[in-house]
Amino acid sequence: MSYYDIDAILTDAEKVPCKFELDIPELGYLDNNPAQPLKSGTTVGLPLWLAELLALANRAPSSADEEAKSFVSLNLPPSLSNEVMSALKADPRAVPLRDQSHNFYGLGTRMLDLFEEKEICAILRRTFVTRAADIALHAGKAGATDDMGIGGGEEFLRGLEEWERKLFKKAHDGAKGSKEWMEGVKKHRR
Amino acid sequence: MALSLPSGLVPTEVAFLCEMEMITIVPRQRLESIPMLSGKTPALRPPRRADLPLWLALLLKKQRRANIVPPPWLLPASLQEIVHLETNYDPEAFSPPPPPPMRSDGRGVARPYATTTRSGNEDKELILAPPFLPSCTQDAPSGYLPYHWLEIAETLLAHAADDIPNAPEVRALLRDLQEVRAAKMRASTRHLEGGGGVLNIRGVGAMELAESRGFVLGVVDGVRKLGASAEAGRREELERGDDEDESDDDMGL
Amino acid sequence: MYGDLGNKLVQQAKRTQNLAHLPPYQTELVRAVTREVRDLDKDVSALLEPFQGSFHPTDDQAVACTLLVNHLSMRRNKRCLLAYHHTRTDRVEELVWKGYDVVDLAGQQVRDGSGNTSSASSTTNGNGSMSNLSPQEEDYVRQYSDLLAAYKGQWTDIDLTGSLEPPRDLFIDVRVLKDAGEIQTEYGQFYVRQGDVERLIAQGYLQKLS
Amino acid sequence: MDIDDILREVDPASQSIPAETRDLQALTRAWVSERSSPELLQYVHILPYPPIAPTTPVLTRRFPSVYSWPADGLFERINDRIKQQIERVEEMTGDMDPKTNFALIVIQTELERFKYLVRSYLRARIAKVFEKSIAATADLRARLSETEQAYATRHQALLHNHYLSSFLSAFPPTLQNLNDTAGNISMIETPDLDTAVFIRLLKETLVEGHGTDMDDDMDGKSGDIVILRWSDAKSLVDSGHAEVV
């Protein structure tokens, strides 16, 4: 991951559910309630940049026989819920991923780092590759006709999350570059 | 940011590279040797043929100072053979690239085209590859598409169509080739999901590569990132397996 | 919440990546995020004060957690600010490579019609004219231009800032249509350097042959 | 037929490739590699060592001693030749003989091609220097030419000063550095060495690649074009068994 990468930073702002494991007087504002202490057991949606390290930081055990615990325990975000996974399993193309999260796969890889979820991992990979084939088709067409808007191109782009948009752009630029070169050569024909 | 180009050569750069391919010409005028940066050009004496880099051959052609001898693989019969190969032989693989050109070392041994270089005290061989192999000269084999096939063919059709026998048929055969090979390129993405470590696409051409590079590598990298946790888990298990094997050995001792 | 303003900056940076021009510098937003960092730092000092330098995370886990949250928020804001500025300097450098100098860049307005001409958020530079660059960015352009000039000087024959399009058609065939003074009509057809005759072609003296 | 031509045609060994041509081959390969690899490459690892050939031009040839950029001399050599060729063009320009004129067209066209190659190569390197704050690590610094090193250092200082004057100096002192590696993200950027690349095999060789579900190996033939991770390709490229395409 790159420190200055804008997409990585935006992915870091995606929220995940966190359950606090202790009372914290100063942090009521995280639950939109600055006047009150944040109670143990409260679940708050926190951005990854905060959630991940709060979950990973071991607070020191208060007595010798107590095990080290985290400040918060994490849960999977709604975009990786069972419902979404079932829908993707049924038909990867039918889900507008961008509505789930602008950084759907970015968030997914971060969560897979934290949770051992083999099935989610497999579903995400299959989804990515299946949809990539679709992206290649649309982008190739758009690149060769030099038109993004026609044939539902814009509509198609709207449903793509960030990784997919980048992939679309690469496929589009490749098709366009090769077409432009070809036309440039042919212009010289007598 | 000093460079706003994507990683990997784009089509215009590939075309530039292809212009370094050697091609055979028949001079129509005498021309003395020219001291170029990359070495002296051969003196041109009509009708003796000579091999020159494509960009220079085109310059001579445009000035009607020379005609171009199309490479044997670009003749209709050869292209028909390749179309047949592409469609009937293997539905997935590209037709094979030309065999590496060899030449005699004067002592009875056939050797690949290479340059000997020296680093420190040892001689090191630099094996040549396109565009520095004679894969588009009159001596090139027919029935094989070289790495820069599409760029060479299109460029020659654009600037030297009158030197190519039956140019309309050549054009039509090239369209067929482009189509059947594009389908193969698309199909190769199916193998990318597999998550293996090596994928061989022998026979692919430079322009085909330039067009698909960003997308193909994007998919490979995406699959890797999505599978990173699974891969790490697999490696841990492997290591643990190795450790167990070792401890078994220890017990055996 | 802490970090929300920083996020706005990063969204600005994301937008900048997709624009042809450089949008106005977000002076107010940068100031606000910087202020947030200072406030968080003060909070840390205030939280630690009662402990007189002998704070043990074990003894007070709620404080330890609050400190961690503050610390992470500061680091997050730092990353957002750096990424925002980094994206802009990246773009500025690209423009300097293309030959723009500080006068071009500082005088640059939001030119394209689609972009909102948000002159309200533009900064006013020393001369009173509106600029999309911050005064610090203007300095940066000057220093970077000097650096680039020094580096370029090592490769005088190459013209390092020249085109990255592969050269083609350096010379072209032209047909002379009317007498253009120095070019005589004696031969009727010439092979000349394209760059040298572009104007004559545009003016109709010469015709380019394919 | 000129005797030179006859000699060239019967000359058995590869040495018949003139030194100048070999330099173009080396430069071209360096350019393609640098344009196609995810990380800044250490050196132009093809090192033409010109024997005295009949085509030896009237140039002072500097023999390479160290095997790294730019000490191998390739760029100095090419730069020198470009300079001389420009001088030649200037001399020839006065001569209006149509025959000379065509030679001039050829020479100038080739000159532009060389200038473009060197320019694109250097720009591809500089872009990588800027993207990744290479000045920060000694290993990466060692891959730069002296000029590039000076440039990288100065650039890093300019950037840091710019950040300081824009906002960073208002931060608590401990947060003013740009080399923080604490937490789960390092500020020092490194290229992703597992990025996939295309390589062409130049010799028969075993190709091993790490994959997500399994690690593969393959008996590679000369001319194979293979997709694999850069981390797996690098050793093949360094040893001359493969080139990046």
Side-chain angles (χ1 to χ4, degrees):
Chain A
M1 195 177 19
S2 158
Y3 186 85
Y4 296 94
D5 185 292
I6 298 297
D7 288 318
I9 299 174
L10 289 172
T11 303
D12 234 354
E14 297 275 351
K15 289 192 173 164
V16 286
C18 298
K19 194 174 92 189
F20 274 82
E21 303 286 356
L22 69 167
D23 292 356
I24 304 176
E26 305 280 339
L27 293 184
Y29 70 91
L30 289 177
D31 197 24
N32 287 323
N33 203 349
Q36 297 291 318
L38 188 68
K39 287 277 182 211
S40 171
T42 315
T43 297
V44 189
L46 293 182
L48 260 177
W49 59 263
L50 189 54
E52 188 177 23
L53 284 170
L54 280 182
L56 291 177
N58 282 334
R59 57 188 167 113
S62 50
S63 65
D65 48 35
E66 197 193 39
E67 270 185 53
K69 273 198 233 157
S70 312
F71 293 118
V72 303
S73 53
L74 287 185
N75 241 313
L76 287 174
S79 59
L80 298 177
S81 64
N82 286 334
E83 295 78 53
V84 178
M85 287 304 117
S86 315
L88 286 176
K89 235 169 137 180
D91 183 0
R93 294 186 184 87
V95 183
L97 280 190
R98 198 172 185 81
D99 295 348
Q100 292 305 322
S101 159
H102 283 204
N103 301 285
F104 179 79
Y105 295 114
L107 177 60
T109 50
R110 296 288 299 279
M111 296 320 286
L112 287 171
D113 273 348
L114 299 167
F115 293 85
E116 195 171 328
E117 290 281 355
K118 283 189 176 157
E119 172 152 31
I120 293 182
C121 180
I123 293 174
L124 289 190
R125 274 174 62 188
R126 205 175 68 88
T127 302
F128 178 69
V129 175
T130 313
R131 289 169 62 98
D134 248 26
I135 290 169
L137 227 59
H138 275 87
K141 237 183 269 169
T145 55
D146 205 15
D147 192 347
M148 301 274 223
I150 275 178
E154 224 167 303
E155 187 55 40
F156 179 76
L157 268 178
R158 206 168 289 144
L160 303 184
E161 60 80 73
E162 282 305 312
W163 282 25
E164 293 179 333
R165 286 196 173 183
K166 280 197 177 140
L167 207 54
F168 184 94
K169 189 175 183 314
K170 284 178 182 172
H172 171 267
D173 291 355
K176 189 164 176 246
S178 123
K179 185 202 114 198
E180 279 176 357
W181 176 80
M182 205 79 98
E183 280 176 355
V185 174
K186 281 178 185 162
K187 253 194 275 172
H188 286 278
R189 278 187 189 168
R190 296 170 194 211
Chain B
M1 193 184 279
L3 187 81
S4 40
L5 289 167
S7 185
L9 300 191
V10 297
T12 46
E13 292 172 319
V14 167
F16 173 82
L17 190 64
C18 141
E19 285 166 3
M20 298 184 202
E21 283 274 353
M22 294 302 257
I23 196 137
T24 307
I25 59 145
V26 185
R28 296 165 57 158
Q29 297 173 10
R30 288 173 66 96
L31 186 70
E32 297 311 317
S33 169
I34 300 172
M36 298 206 300
L37 281 167
S38 53
K40 280 197 283 181
T41 63
L44 302 182
R45 301 277 180 271
R48 226 181 82 211
R49 297 180 172 200
D51 293 343
L52 294 176
L54 177 62
W55 66 266
L56 180 51
L58 289 175
L59 209 57
L60 290 165
K61 171 71 187 172
K62 282 184 200 166
Q63 293 225 328
R64 295 182 202 90
R65 290 169 187 266
N67 287 98
I68 287 177
V69 181
W73 56 262
L74 192 59
L75 300 176
S78 160
L79 291 178
Q80 277 160 10
E81 187 189 326
I82 303 170
V83 170
H84 181 79
L85 213 63
E86 294 277 5
T87 35
N88 297 322
Y89 182 63
D90 188 335
E92 291 206 335
F94 294 108
S95 64
M102 307 294 270
R103 60 177 160 194
S104 167
D105 70 349
R107 276 164 262 167
V109 181
R111 298 167 54 86
Y113 272 67
T115 308
T116 307
T117 62
R118 170 166 290 193
S119 70
N121 292 324
E122 41 177 325
D123 284 331
K124 208 178 156 177
E125 218 179 29
L126 159 66
I127 313 263
L128 295 180
F132 298 113
L133 288 177
S135 49
C136 295
T137 60
Q138 60 179 354
D139 302 325
S142 78
Y144 298 98
L145 294 180
Y147 185 58
H148 286 293
W149 68 277
L150 185 59
E151 310 85 277
I152 294 267
E154 289 292 339
T155 306
L156 291 185
L157 281 171
H159 297 286
D162 53 337
D163 289 336
I164 299 174
N166 206 351
E169 194 189 346
V170 168
R171 274 196 193 113
L173 286 164
L174 284 171
R175 288 297 81 77
D176 292 352
L177 275 176
Q178 256 184 296
E179 240 165 71
V180 57
R181 290 170 60 96
K184 290 183 180 183
M185 195 73 201
R186 276 197 299 277
S188 73
T189 36
R190 267 191 286 114
H191 298 288
L192 302 177
E193 186 187 1
V198 177
L199 184 64
N200 191 352
I201 47 170
R202 183 178 178 85
V204 72
M207 201 51 93
E208 293 160 323
L209 210 61
E211 179 171 347
S212 317
R213 176 199 309 276
F215 175 77
V216 169
L217 297 185
V219 173
V220 176
D221 286 336
V223 169
R224 167 174 60 87
K225 285 176 186 161
L226 286 171
S229 57
E231 185 180 339
R234 179 173 68 84
R235 290 197 194 289
E236 257 169 46
E237 250 167 62
L238 266 176
E239 245 167 60
R240 221 176 301 138
D242 285 352
D243 288 350
E244 273 163 28
D245 286 351
E246 271 167 38
S247 56
D248 284 353
D249 289 349
D250 287 348
M251 278 194 275
L253 286 169
Chain C
M1 187 196 142
Y2 293 128
D4 286 351
L5 289 173
N7 226 43
K8 277 194 189 158
L9 266 185
V10 181
Q11 272 153 1
Q12 282 289 329
K14 175 86 183 168
R15 202 177 134 246
T16 302
Q17 287 181 333
N18 297 321
L19 288 176
H21 66 269
L22 192 66
Y25 183 79
Q26 298 288 320
T27 314
E28 278 314 311
L29 209 44
V30 169
R31 219 169 267 163
V33 179
T34 312
R35 202 180 307 124
E36 195 175 289
V37 172
R38 281 208 306 273
D39 290 347
L40 281 161
D41 189 47
K42 274 183 210 143
D43 283 357
V44 169
S45 307
L47 276 167
L48 284 174
E49 226 220 312
F51 297 94
Q52 304 278 327
S54 62
F55 174 69
H56 296 292
T58 343
D59 300 340
D60 201 330
Q61 301 192 351
V63 173
C65 182
T66 309
L67 284 172
L68 181 58
V69 169
N70 281 11
H71 182 67
L72 291 173
S73 302
M74 284 194 277
R75 288 234 313 254
R76 169 71 181 178
N77 279 339
K78 177 180 173 183
R79 190 176 178 196
C80 292
L81 279 164
L82 281 172
Y84 174 73
H85 286 82
H86 188 262
T87 305
R88 289 180 63 89
T89 50
D90 227 38
R91 178 58 64 83
V92 163
E93 287 175 14
E94 195 184 327
L95 293 169
V96 172
W97 274 94
K98 285 185 178 157
Y100 292 87
D101 63 17
V102 68
V103 181
D104 303 327
L105 289 173
Q108 188 195 34
Q109 298 295 318
V110 183
R111 263 174 294 177
D112 67 327
S114 61
N116 51 336
T117 32
S118 51
S119 50
S121 48
S122 294
T123 55
T124 306
N125 67 19
N127 306 323
S129 68
M130 304 304 264
S131 166
N132 285 348
L133 300 182
S134 73
Q136 290 80 11
E137 284 174 333
E138 287 182 17
D139 279 345
Y140 187 78
V141 171
R142 276 186 213 103
Q143 290 164 335
Y144 187 75
S145 302
D146 290 348
L147 175 59
L148 180 55
Y151 186 65
K152 255 183 82 170
Q154 306 282 326
W155 299 96
T156 41
D157 299 320
I158 305 300
D159 184 17
L160 212 52
T161 50
S163 170
L164 290 176
E165 275 286 308
R168 57 189 283 190
D169 287 345
L170 186 58
F171 292 90
I172 53 167
D173 261 322
V174 291
R175 172 172 295 143
V176 180
L177 300 177
K178 44 183 174 172
D179 200 326
E182 275 182 47
I183 291 186
Q184 304 295 317
T185 50
E186 189 180 344
Y187 298 106
Q189 195 167 322
F190 279 92
Y191 210 54
V192 290
R193 221 180 145 98
Q194 173 152 343
D196 297 341
V197 294
E198 254 154 19
R199 245 200 25 234
L200 291 171
I201 294 173
Q203 291 168 343
Y205 287 100
L206 303 178
Q207 179 193 4
K208 186 178 166 183
L209 300 173
S210 62
Chain D
M1 208 176 198
D2 299 344
I3 188 70
D4 268 4
D5 291 338
I6 294 171
L7 282 176
R8 193 174 301 148
E9 274 174 29
V10 295
D11 186 350
S14 50
Q15 275 78 1
S16 66
I17 298 174
E20 296 89 339
T21 312
R22 278 181 275 154
D23 277 355
L24 173 64
Q25 291 162 350
L27 172 63
T28 305
R29 191 169 280 179
W31 171 64
V32 176
S33 307
E34 200 65 72
R35 280 282 291 112
S36 314
S37 320
E39 69 170 326
L40 189 91
L41 298 178
Q42 181 142 23
Y43 40 64
V44 180
H45 80 95
I46 309 123
L47 188 59
Y49 186 83
I52 305 305
T55 45
T56 306
V58 262
L59 287 178
T60 35
R61 197 171 273 143
R62 288 178 216 160
F63 288 92
S65 53
V66 190
Y67 200 25
S68 69
W69 205 96
D72 75 348
L74 174 66
F75 275 83
E76 284 74 3
R77 217 153 54 228
I78 285 174
N79 209 26
D80 282 352
R81 284 203 210 116
I82 286 177
K83 231 182 252 306
Q84 297 197 358
Q85 199 74 324
I86 290 172
E87 280 164 22
R88 196 201 299 268
V89 167
E90 279 161 10
E91 278 166 28
M92 286 169 78
T93 308
D95 192 344
M96 285 312 283
D97 178 4
K99 271 185 200 156
T100 337
N101 195 36
F102 183 69
L104 193 59
I105 286 173
V106 172
I107 287 175
Q108 276 183 278
T109 302
E110 198 216 18
L111 193 55
E112 289 306 314
R113 294 179 63 88
F114 261 79
K115 281 158 75 172
Y116 163 77
L117 266 181
V118 176
R119 182 192 307 141
S120 184
Y121 173 79
L122 291 173
R123 295 271 295 264
R125 289 177 61 84
I126 291 171
K128 291 184 193 175
V129 174
F130 290 171
E131 255 166 50
K132 320 288 169 196
S133 11
I134 272 172
T137 69
D139 166 45
L140 290 173
R141 276 188 77 90
R143 300 179 189 182
L144 303 177
S145 72
E146 253 176 65
T147 328
E148 285 171 337
Q149 277 186 24
Y151 198 22
T153 310
R154 174 84 181 128
H155 181 247
Q156 187 67 13
L158 280 186
L159 269 180
H160 200 164
N161 284 333
H162 173 58
Y163 299 149
L164 282 167
S165 65
S166 295
F167 63 92
L168 203 55
S169 57
F171 273 31
T174 48
L175 281 173
Q176 293 189 9
N177 296 330
L178 292 189
N179 56 0
D180 197 357
T181 52
N184 54 352
I185 169 111
S186 164
M187 292 188 74
I188 296 169
E189 309 241 326
T190 46
D192 183 354
L193 299 182
D194 287 336
T195 305
V197 292
F198 289 96
I199 57 168
R200 174 196 287 114
L201 301 189
L202 299 168
K203 296 178 190 173
E204 279 186 20
T205 179
L206 179 72
V207 181
E208 294 174 292
H210 290 78
T212 303
D213 297 332
M214 54 184 172
D215 302 338
D216 280 339
D217 55 66
M218 167 189 119
D219 288 319
K221 281 187 296 191
S222 154
D224 282 350
I225 297 206
V226 182
I227 306 175
L228 75 175
R229 295 179 187 176
W230 170 243
S231 47
D232 289 320
K234 202 172 171 356
S235 63
L236 292 174
V237 172
D238 282 346
S239 64
H241 284 79
E243 64 174 341
V244 192
V245 291

